[in-house]
Amino acid sequence: MELKLRRGANHRIGAPFQHAAIFHKEDINFLKGHHNLRWYDSTEKTTRHKLPCKVSCEYCGSWIMDEGRNMILLFPGLLDLKEGEGERFKAECHMFYADRMVDVNDGLPKWSGMQGKSDLIADSPSGAVKKRKREV
């Protein structure tokens, strides 16, 4: 059997889904543990802190977030949240849905690429999608 790896988000994260929250960098402040972070720049294959980069735990190697020049993409499942705080991290949309591995029928907006900078894909038959694109 010949296997070929898929490119796209699922290739980068090794999973069909990634629940992430996007923040402006000035809205994030690590209270402790920031000395135990490790960086990885996939373009230059280096572990020096060069933006944009992936950030992981120095001890266990778990990916924590992606750090960009102005934004941070953080994985809410890693946060120590108090009861009820998880509601703030409910999904608002799906990005890069054109590269999905499975359909998600949850009624949320689905973007083919970046939110607001790509085509909106609807949860409906192709005829309805074409009609909606003409209306937008």
Side-chain angles (χ1 to χ4, degrees):
M1 177 189 316
E2 225 177 277
L3 296 176
K4 183 177 179 182
L5 293 175
R6 261 184 94 155
R7 296 287 174 200
N10 56 344
H11 173 76
R12 290 187 296 277
I13 64 170
F17 302 101
Q18 177 182 9
H19 180 201
I22 301 172
F23 297 93
H24 289 280
K25 285 175 84 168
E26 64 265 14
D27 294 335
I28 297 290
N29 184 24
F30 281 94
L31 299 176
K32 65 179 191 175
H34 60 282
H35 298 293
N36 301 323
L37 298 177
R38 179 176 58 195
W39 297 274
Y40 179 69
D41 169 26
S42 60
T43 57
E44 294 184 6
K45 311 257 187 289
T46 180
T47 56
R48 67 185 179 89
H49 190 212
K50 179 183 178 282
L51 300 178
C53 66
K54 301 248 180 233
V55 182
S56 63
C57 173
E58 185 176 56
Y59 295 109
C60 71
S62 294
W63 292 115
I64 297 169
M65 63 185 183
D66 289 354
E67 181 182 6
R69 288 167 186 77
N70 303 308
M71 308 292 278
I72 286 181
L73 186 141
L74 182 68
F75 309 123
L78 299 174
L79 299 175
D80 187 15
L81 301 172
K82 295 180 179 98
E83 190 171 330
E85 285 184 325
E87 285 296 310
R88 296 188 310 174
F89 294 101
K90 284 183 81 169
E92 296 176 2
C93 70
H94 298 276
M95 295 190 296
F96 304 100
Y97 196 73
D99 296 327
R100 70 190 176 278
M101 294 185 74
V102 296
D103 291 337
V104 179
N105 298 312
D106 59 5
L108 293 176
K110 293 164 178 66
W111 299 91
S112 61
M114 287 292 292
Q115 179 181 1
K117 297 181 180 180
S118 62
D119 292 329
L120 194 57
I121 299 171
D123 284 326
S124 51
S126 61
V129 172
K130 289 177 186 173
K131 180 178 183 259
R132 183 173 183 188
K133 285 184 179 180
R134 284 191 298 258
E135 294 172 352
V136 173

